[in-house]
Each structure stands twice: as C-alpha cells, then as structure tokens.
C-alpha cells in the first residue's frame, strides 16, 4: 500500500484527491472541535497534542487494519511509515500558503 502512487499536482476534480482533502479537513475540524471540550482545554498543550496524536493514530491504524487481512498489517504499517515524509511536505506546503510565518507558533 503506497500513498505516493498518486503524488503530483493536486486536482480537486480527481476523486482520490478530493477524498484526501476531505479527510484532511475532517481531521483539522476534529482538532478545532476539541478546543470546545473543557477536559481538553484544561490539559496542558503537550498533553492536548499527545492525546490528539494517540487518538488519531490509533484510529487510522485501526481503520486500516479492519480494512485488510491480518497478514497485510506489516505491509500497511510500512505504507504508513513511507507516507510520512510526503504527508509532512504537504502539510508544510499547506501551512506556509495559509498562515503567514509570523503567526505560526
């Protein structure tokens, strides 16, 4: 399983790109919604980020695992690891386009 197979210019008319963007937005909205929950707001920022990462990563891997046969789990994990540099670059590009550098923390 390789995310990089569809690497290239973003095309909102392409169903794959459109769904990738939809999932990206939904994850960002989850983080924004968490700010409205008192228990989340009461945690220190490091714990907030840790809780978000733990939940999102566990959910991601869980959804992937129930979508494949058990024997494909290591291949899936390798695919997730291989996708991280591209995901980082895409996130950095999106952030740099959307948020001026002086506003970034």
């Amino acid at each position: 399983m390789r995310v990089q197979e569809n690497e290239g210019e973003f095309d909102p008319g392409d169903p794959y790109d459109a769904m990738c963007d939809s999932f990206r937005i939904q994850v960002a909205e989850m983080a924004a919604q968490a700010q409205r929950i008192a228990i989340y707001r009461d945690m220190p920022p490091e714990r907030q980020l840790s809780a978000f990462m733990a939940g999102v990563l566990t959910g991601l891997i869980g959804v992937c695992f129930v979508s494949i046969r058990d024997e494909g789990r290591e291949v899936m994990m390798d695919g997730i690891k291989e996708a991280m540099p591209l995901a980082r670059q895409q996130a950095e590009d999106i952030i740099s386009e959307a948020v001026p550098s002086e506003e970034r923390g």
Side-chain angles (χ1 to χ4, degrees):
M1 202 265 164
R2 295 190 56 217
V3 175
Q4 287 90 341
E5 290 172 0
N6 287 296
E7 194 173 352
E9 197 68 29
F10 176 73
D11 176 6
D14 179 291
Y16 178 86
D17 285 355
M19 285 310 306
C20 289
D21 200 44
S22 175
F23 287 130
R24 176 190 63 79
I25 291 167
Q26 289 176 62
V27 170
E29 288 173 346
M30 280 187 340
Q33 290 171 0
Q35 292 295 328
R36 292 184 230 141
I37 300 169
I39 193 168
Y40 184 84
R41 283 193 320 265
D42 290 344
M43 289 190 288
E46 309 83 42
R47 296 284 288 172
Q48 290 175 346
L49 187 56
S50 180
F52 182 75
M53 286 175 33
V56 169
L57 289 172
T58 302
L60 166 70
I61 292 168
V63 168
C64 290
F65 279 6
V66 299
S67 302
I68 61 171
R69 293 190 181 107
D70 289 352
E71 59 269 17
R73 288 182 174 186
E74 287 311 310
V75 173
M76 180 62 67
M77 291 304 299
D78 289 342
I80 292 170
K81 290 175 198 168
E82 290 173 15
M84 296 302 285
L86 178 60
R88 177 184 177 159
Q89 186 60 55
Q90 289 172 331
E92 288 176 343
D93 291 348
I94 290 166
I95 291 167
S96 69
E97 290 175 13
V99 181
S101 60
E102 62 271 1
E103 290 183 25
R104 284 185 245 145

